[in-house]
Amino acid sequence: MAATGSVEATPPSDPTILSGMTRDELCGRFLEVAPYQLYPFQEEALMAWFESEGGVLVCAPTGMGKTLIAEAAIFEALHTRKRLYYTTPLIALTEQKFREFQDRAESWGFDRREVGFITGNRRENPDALIRVVVAEILLNHLLGSDPGLADLEQVGSVVMDEFHNFNDWERGVVWELSLALLPPQVRVMLLSATVGNPYDFADWLKNQHGRKVQVVTSTERRVPLEYHWVEDRLLTELAVQMVQGKEDECRTPALIFAFNRDECWELAEKLKGLSLVSSAQKAEIEACLKEHRAELAEGAGPKLAQMLLRGVGVHHAGVLPRHKLIVEELFTRKLIPFVCCTETLAAGINLPARSVVLTTLLKGKPGEMKLIPASVAHQMFGRAGRPQFDTQGHVYAVAHEDDVKINKWRKKFDQIPPQTKDPGLLRIRKELERKRPTRRKTEQYWSEGQFKSLIAAGPAKLYSRGMIPYSVLIFLLTRTGALRQVREFIAKRFAGSEQIDKFQTQLNFMLDNLQGLGYLKRAEDGEQVTLDPSIYRLLNFRSVDPLFGEFLATTLNYSSFEEKLLALEAVLELPAAILRNVRIPEDLPKGPLQEKVLEPLMTQMGVKVARTPVTEDEDDEVEPRPRRWVDKWEEVEEERPPTFPEMLKIAFEARLAAPEPTFVQPKWVAGHAFERDGDFFKCVRALDLIKQEGLILRHLLRLVILASEFFCRAEDPDYQRIAELATKTCQRVDRSYTDRFLAEAQAMRTTPPA
């Protein structure tokens, strides 16, 4: 669908005239002031919103103008004087919408201050009628942890943008719990990308939470997609072909997707030697890079700059944020035709492209790769086609290079008549037969049929994914102290019976461990609980399992600075490909906690804490001990004694009444940076992680958040020092990103009432 033209500008609304209007009249007035003629899908959604008592669930592809529907809810709230919350999953998107809605309110004749903005550490007009917030802030207010702002009686409606985040394993419960806690009179507008089960979801909302919403869906895209299976051209050949022709004929800008960060760099290396940009484009790229010379001077910057000059960018989690911004700028200005990226870009960053190219349809460990999920494929497909520039989007899937070579060979071979007697042709045929390419036994391949199956597959379905965290469990228990209500909440989750049973089993494990560690007591009937005041200490921790976090906070009282750093780094996950570069140094001295407490405890538990000594004679005769491969990257000795973080894990799990997995990943990243006086780039060079420097930066920022949580709990200056050193290290790389990241992390904290 496409807009058929704009309508004449209408004078701003007069609130004194419209405040007493019915919903139908408000709808009509909003249509008069709409900035352009609506698509049929938008009209249907608007009518549903103004007619429905409970609200709407709107599901449509990106670019179909869902924001305009949200503006209708804001228009109504401003005139009815009923508070509205507008939530998004990202602080950057929240800020963007805040400014947009301020402008829109002003165009309707209202004061800009009617629209407010709230994050964890920043507020603008917090008492405003329209509150634009990240999703966790709304949940904060529903939980009552911000009493000055939790006046829910004044709330008339809530708009949840990017609602498909309900599917997120970690944060999805924020959207789910918010819907469960909203007062019944509050109307909801749920705006989502296309989902596979919208009517089932609406039925669940009605049956389990008494909230009736109308469903409005559209699968039509403003820019239709054309799919291409490429089996006769290598990626390098396809890329050259895509940049040819006039602007409306070429197929760029294009995103080239891979499922491995190293592969992104490898693809860019292959492409940078091709003729992809004109001399005029190159001159503009050079001018842009000159402006960003300082930002590209260190780390992967010089390498990336050379690629950008040749028309190719790289964009993934291992690229520094400031470098990604440069890539995004050049790509959106249509100066570079290609960006090699991972699939995570499809799920978040708005980088409009005319085409997308999939270099593979398989993902996983070598030899164990599987077809990518349809939901991931459709996220990547959806990046093709820009509503403001394109009438058609293009999706290319390139066959394995072995299959491309086989197809090319077959075309040449089939051109020779089978019955030919021509000596020259017979000689060519014989030579072709000798050089016939084949598939390799060590490779996995994908097919056009699999590509078609992904195209035909429907979008992802919404479900309750992860288990409720301890903070939510504690909140639910504080309401009545009755487990029955907690079990009822679990039973009402949007999941199948088998998954619900798993949630209930996990709930039992959580309760057993809380009781075993003294945080609560169950009555004889097993249904009523009494909470120990110490349970509220668990709410300090968001970056680590709270039970393990509290155990560490207590146990590390006896530790050195280095031991605290080892413990904190170990609970933050990094990709396996990085671990071999950041192993704990063998010459790192033992701390007092390891030497005087943990090693004697391990010995008492029957855990070996030292390597078996090997004499000189034995060393000559005995073959090296066998090794096992944990994954493609990390080699570990079978009888290796536990590291300090692993000793902490063993000691903690021995105290649990029920089995719960405890994540520990021994590493020494911040330690390397601190040893080099916080010189980030010297650190990543020494660790040979220049191509992964974005991940290292993020790891250090997460360490800041984690150390701050431990400082709030223990008030130990060592944690404050860790946070300060890591913050300074990150600020030397990118101060603005560091400050924004830490602000967003603060905004995500949801603290139930104590």
Side-chain angles (χ1 to χ4, degrees):
M1 303 174 193
T4 57
S6 60
V7 296
E8 291 185 8
T10 307
S13 307
D14 184 344
T16 61
I17 296 175
L18 300 182
S19 58
M21 282 189 171
T22 65
R23 277 193 201 157
D24 285 345
E25 291 170 326
L26 281 170
C27 179
R29 184 58 175 161
F30 178 75
L31 291 173
E32 291 177 12
V33 300
Y36 56 81
Q37 190 168 329
L38 276 60
Y39 313 123
F41 153 74
Q42 291 174 313
E43 290 181 354
E44 182 185 358
L46 285 175
M47 296 302 177
W49 171 252
F50 284 105
E51 290 172 2
S52 172
E53 291 299 322
V56 293
L57 168 59
V58 180
C59 303
T62 301
M64 286 299 291
K66 294 189 288 291
T67 296
L68 184 72
I69 304 164
E71 289 176 1
I74 294 170
F75 183 87
E76 179 186 25
L78 287 168
H79 288 94
T80 60
R81 312 309 295 167
K82 280 286 190 179
R83 175 159 287 124
L84 177 143
Y85 278 88
Y86 182 98
T87 76
T88 86
L90 301 172
I91 196 168
L93 182 58
T94 305
E95 290 193 64
Q96 175 189 332
K97 294 299 181 184
F98 166 54
R99 299 302 179 193
E100 286 181 10
F101 294 152
Q102 278 197 320
D103 293 341
R104 187 64 68 204
E106 190 172 47
S107 74
W108 294 331
F110 291 91
D111 192 314
R112 295 176 65 85
R113 289 171 295 182
E114 293 274 24
V115 181
F117 173 80
I118 308 171
T119 67
N121 66 347
R122 179 184 157 204
R123 298 180 179 189
E124 288 190 35
N125 314 323
D127 297 318
L129 195 71
I130 309 300
R131 293 175 175 173
V132 186
V133 302
V134 285
E136 280 79 359
I137 294 295
L138 172 61
L139 182 57
N140 249 353
H141 294 183
L142 291 170
L143 295 174
S145 59
D146 198 344
L149 296 173
D151 48 348
L152 298 177
E153 293 300 319
Q154 301 301 317
V155 178
S157 53
V158 169
V159 179
M160 296 183 180
D161 203 354
E162 304 289 335
F163 183 71
H164 43 274
N165 279 273
F166 185 96
N167 259 5
D168 189 274
W169 283 93
E170 293 184 4
R171 293 179 63 202
V173 71
V174 172
W175 282 262
E176 181 178 358
L177 191 58
S178 295
L179 283 174
L181 295 177
L182 277 174
Q185 76 275 8
V186 176
R187 300 167 69 225
V188 296
M189 178 183 287
L190 312 177
L191 303 176
S192 173
T194 308
V195 297
N197 56 345
Y199 294 98
D200 292 339
F201 184 84
D203 287 342
W204 169 75
L205 267 183
K206 177 184 175 183
N207 297 332
Q208 299 297 348
H209 295 289
R211 191 174 297 283
K212 187 176 181 180
V213 297
Q214 288 192 41
V215 177
V216 180
T217 66
S218 174
T219 56
E220 187 173 351
R221 290 174 50 93
R222 287 172 63 185
V223 180
L225 296 180
E226 185 177 347
Y227 297 91
H228 311 266
W229 171 250
V230 183
E231 62 180 4
D232 58 351
R233 284 160 292 170
L234 297 170
L235 177 64
T236 50
E237 297 167 328
L238 174 65
V240 172
Q241 185 179 11
M242 290 177 70
V243 299
Q244 293 174 349
K246 297 178 182 178
E247 185 175 348
D248 59 342
E249 295 173 346
C250 72
R251 300 294 171 84
T252 59
L255 299 172
I256 301 178
F257 285 105
F259 300 112
N260 180 291
R261 288 180 295 276
D262 286 334
E263 188 178 345
C264 287
W265 288 104
E266 291 167 8
L267 290 172
E269 286 284 356
K270 288 182 180 179
L271 296 175
K272 77 173 188 179
L274 305 175
S275 178
L276 301 177
V277 294
S278 66
S279 56
Q281 284 177 302
K282 187 172 183 179
E284 286 194 63
I285 295 171
E286 286 177 335
C288 180
L289 296 183
K290 189 174 182 180
E291 294 177 7
H292 296 290
R293 183 182 297 164
E295 297 152 81
L296 292 164
E298 296 185 278
K303 182 181 185 66
L304 179 62
Q306 290 302 310
M307 291 176 170
L308 292 171
L309 277 172
R310 291 164 174 80
V312 186
V314 177
H315 195 297
H316 56 66
V319 178
L320 284 178
R322 68 186 189 187
H323 292 166
K324 286 194 280 191
L325 289 174
I326 296 170
V327 172
E328 292 167 17
E329 178 186 347
L330 290 171
F331 189 77
T332 53
R333 289 174 57 187
K334 295 182 282 187
L335 293 178
I336 57 171
F338 296 105
V339 166
C340 300
C341 55
T342 55
E343 76 276 18
T344 52
L345 182 143
I349 303 299
N350 183 24
L351 209 57
R354 176 168 291 176
S355 305
V356 299
V357 181
L358 277 65
T359 58
T360 178
L361 302 180
L362 306 179
K363 184 179 180 181
K365 294 181 180 180
E368 302 176 12
M369 292 190 290
K370 296 181 179 179
L371 188 67
I372 57 176
S375 58
V376 173
H378 279 272
Q379 280 185 327
M380 291 186 286
F381 297 166
R383 286 298 175 184
R386 302 161 298 172
Q388 67 272 44
F389 296 114
D390 306 322
T391 57
Q392 187 91 35
H394 299 272
V395 177
Y396 294 87
V398 183
H400 192 289
E401 63 177 13
D402 289 352
D403 285 339
V404 172
K405 291 174 182 177
I406 291 170
N407 278 305
K408 285 186 165 191
W409 177 91
R410 186 176 291 113
K411 281 187 177 181
K412 289 182 180 179
F413 189 82
D414 290 347
Q415 288 176 355
I416 302 174
Q419 307 303 323
T420 184
K421 302 295 184 181
D422 185 300
L425 291 177
L426 288 173
R427 190 165 51 251
I428 294 172
R429 184 186 184 111
K430 186 176 181 180
E431 183 67 15
L432 283 172
E433 285 178 335
R434 189 177 68 83
K435 294 182 177 180
R436 180 173 187 161
T438 59
R439 283 185 165 188
R440 291 168 282 177
K441 292 182 179 180
T442 55
E443 289 290 307
Q444 287 184 262
Y445 299 86
W446 54 96
S447 67
E448 183 179 10
Q450 289 174 312
F451 182 43
K452 289 180 176 178
S453 72
L454 291 173
I455 296 169
K461 295 182 177 182
L462 294 178
Y463 285 114
S464 301
R465 301 289 180 179
M467 180 56 178
I468 60 171
Y470 275 99
S471 57
V472 171
L473 173 58
I474 294 169
F475 164 72
L476 293 173
L477 291 173
T478 58
R479 300 178 77 184
T480 62
L483 291 179
R484 177 179 54 81
Q485 291 197 352
V486 180
R487 296 192 190 283
E488 286 178 356
F489 175 80
I490 297 292
K492 287 181 177 181
R493 301 193 73 193
F494 188 44
S497 57
E498 185 177 341
Q499 186 61 42
I500 293 292
D501 289 342
K502 289 181 180 179
F503 286 148
Q504 296 287 11
T505 299
Q506 195 168 348
L507 173 64
N508 290 333
F509 288 165
M510 293 169 76
L511 293 168
D512 288 345
N513 285 329
L514 286 172
Q515 178 164 287
L517 294 172
Y519 293 116
L520 60 78
K521 290 182 180 179
R522 289 200 217 185
E524 291 185 5
D525 61 5
E527 285 300 311
Q528 206 71 18
V529 299
T530 303
L531 303 182
D532 188 89
S534 62
I535 198 170
Y536 298 110
R537 292 204 296 263
L538 300 179
L539 301 178
N540 285 295
F541 301 104
R542 294 293 182 274
S543 307
V544 61
D545 171 82
L547 298 186
F548 190 41
E550 181 61 23
F551 167 80
L552 290 178
T554 303
T555 307
L556 292 173
N557 283 335
Y558 310 99
S559 69
S560 65
F561 174 85
E562 288 74 20
E563 286 179 319
K564 292 185 180 72
L565 186 56
L566 278 170
L568 266 57
E569 288 210 75
V571 301
L572 299 173
E573 186 173 7
L574 277 175
I578 291 179
L579 296 184
R580 59 179 177 174
N581 301 62
V582 294
R583 291 178 175 139
I584 299 173
E586 292 186 5
D587 58 354
L588 191 69
K590 294 180 183 179
L593 179 59
Q594 177 176 345
E595 197 165 27
K596 297 180 180 179
V597 179
L598 290 179
E599 287 189 351
L601 178 60
M602 295 297 106
T603 302
Q604 187 179 350
M605 296 173 66
V607 178
K608 287 187 177 181
V609 295
R611 296 183 187 277
T612 304
V614 179
T615 65
E616 290 185 12
D617 292 340
E618 287 176 332
D619 195 34
D620 291 335
E621 299 173 6
V622 179
E623 291 194 14
R625 283 174 296 183
R627 296 173 180 266
R628 61 186 173 86
W629 289 93
V630 174
D631 54 36
K632 180 181 177 184
W633 303 105
E634 186 184 9
E635 187 183 2
V636 181
E637 295 180 359
E638 279 194 359
E639 297 182 4
R640 173 183 60 78
T643 61
F644 173 73
E646 289 167 334
M647 291 182 191
L648 289 168
K649 170 185 165 79
I650 294 168
F652 170 69
E653 289 181 340
R655 305 177 72 180
L656 294 178
E660 275 196 308
T662 305
F663 177 81
V664 162
Q665 190 187 66
K667 65 182 79 69
W668 188 247
V669 181
H672 281 298
F674 298 167
E675 289 165 4
R676 292 167 173 81
D677 195 29
D679 190 323
F680 178 86
F681 292 108
K682 186 183 291 185
C683 175
V684 294
R685 280 198 303 273
L687 298 175
D688 193 22
L689 290 173
I690 290 177
K691 291 181 181 178
Q692 307 285 3
E693 56 193 8
L695 287 166
I696 300 301
L697 179 67
R698 186 175 177 85
H699 171 79
L700 294 174
L701 288 169
R702 291 168 62 212
L703 179 63
V704 175
I705 303 300
L706 180 62
S708 299
E709 292 174 6
F710 273 79
F711 179 72
C712 288
R713 164 65 182 88
E715 297 185 354
D716 186 325
D718 278 350
Y719 298 123
Q720 191 173 37
R721 183 182 168 212
I722 290 172
E724 289 174 351
L725 289 173
T727 299
K728 289 178 181 177
T729 301
C730 296
Q731 285 177 334
R732 289 174 66 177
V733 180
D734 192 331
R735 177 176 288 275
S736 63
Y737 176 78
T738 296
D739 295 344
R740 187 168 68 250
F741 182 97
L742 298 179
E744 183 167 351
Q746 178 64 27
M748 297 305 175
R749 291 181 61 86
T750 55
T751 308

